[in-house]
Amino acid sequence: MTDTTIGRRIKQRAREDWPRRARCLVALSLCILLSCCGAARRAIEKEAGPATETATEPATETTTVPAPAPETAPVAETAPAAVTVNLSGALAECRNAFPDQIAQAVARASCVIKATELVRPLLPFPELLDRENALRKTLAEQVQARAMSLLERNVQIQKLHSQLLDEERSRLPATPADASKPPAAVTQWRQSNPESCGRLGGDSGTCY
């Protein structure tokens, strides 16, 4: 057998073996690729595992309940100090400002009502004073309109004031908790409008 023939046979065998070798190379490449993909996937899953678990864990919602506002005790209305209430002085200003009891009856009554409002917080039953001032205003309008005499006006005020004092005494306890002397302004109001105010010339400082 000549060298030429041997060479041709070797070339032919090489051509026949090439497809088999190519298949082996492809299979080997696939195995290597699959093994690499599996390893990479395991590494990725290992890395992502804890983070995923942490992300999927339900978050606990913390609700902050605001603390209740501290209760504040209601502020009681404080009556003006007795020493600051000068009822006699306020009434004197009304007499001086409105000396005409007929032509200036309404203005004088309004001034007296404003002056007696200083006593109201000091009285045990201030609604009694409200009733007196309501009548004082109505009578003043009648006097200024010449529908009532000044004397008749004084008589009606004196009678109502006496009734109010009787009602106050009946409503007060027999032994008051505060047995101290009442403020001077309260005493002045209680002693106002005596029977003498219902007579002619009754225009003293206690008649209003």
Side-chain angles (χ1 to χ4, degrees):
M1 188 178 294
T2 62
D3 293 337
T4 302
T5 302
I6 294 172
R8 281 198 304 268
R9 288 183 178 180
I10 291 173
K11 289 181 181 180
Q12 184 179 358
R13 186 175 295 176
R15 282 195 301 268
E16 291 174 358
D17 291 341
W18 169 245
R20 187 170 58 252
R21 290 178 182 178
R23 285 194 296 270
C24 290
L25 288 174
V26 171
L28 181 60
S29 299
L30 288 174
C31 290
I32 294 173
L33 182 61
L34 289 176
S35 62
C36 290
C37 289
R41 183 179 178 182
R42 284 194 299 272
I44 292 172
E45 288 178 353
K46 186 176 181 181
E47 249 180 65
T52 305
E53 291 177 3
T54 305
T56 56
E57 186 178 350
T60 57
E61 190 174 325
T62 305
T63 305
T64 304
V65 180
E71 294 185 2
T72 56
V75 180
E77 292 186 6
T78 57
V83 294
T84 63
V85 178
N86 184 5
L87 180 60
S88 297
L91 293 173
E93 291 179 4
C94 293
R95 290 194 300 271
N96 295 332
F98 309 101
D100 193 330
Q101 297 187 70
I102 298 177
Q104 298 176 316
V106 174
R108 180 165 173 164
S110 299
C111 184
V112 170
I113 291 172
K114 185 176 180 180
T116 54
E117 282 294 319
L118 300 172
V119 190
R120 193 178 187 280
L122 305 175
L123 295 173
F125 309 108
E127 66 274 11
L128 300 180
L129 176 62
D130 295 340
R131 285 163 55 186
E132 183 177 78
N133 281 335
L135 178 63
R136 176 174 285 111
K137 181 179 179 181
T138 301
L139 296 179
E141 293 172 351
Q142 296 181 43
V143 169
Q144 188 164 321
R146 304 301 197 276
M148 175 183 290
S149 68
L150 182 60
L151 180 60
E152 179 61 24
R153 176 260 175 211
N154 291 344
V155 169
Q156 291 199 32
I157 282 289
Q158 186 274 322
K159 286 183 178 179
L160 177 64
H161 187 76
S162 179
Q163 293 172 8
L164 295 177
L165 292 181
D166 290 340
E167 184 175 343
E168 183 187 52
R169 282 191 290 268
S170 67
R171 293 167 65 179
L172 286 172
T175 54
D178 185 9
S180 61
K181 187 178 179 180
V186 174
T187 302
Q188 291 170 6
W189 176 77
R190 289 172 178 168
Q191 293 176 350
S192 67
N193 297 303
E195 289 185 9
S196 60
C197 293
R199 296 194 291 266
L200 287 174
D203 185 27
S204 65
T206 58
C207 301
Y208 51 86

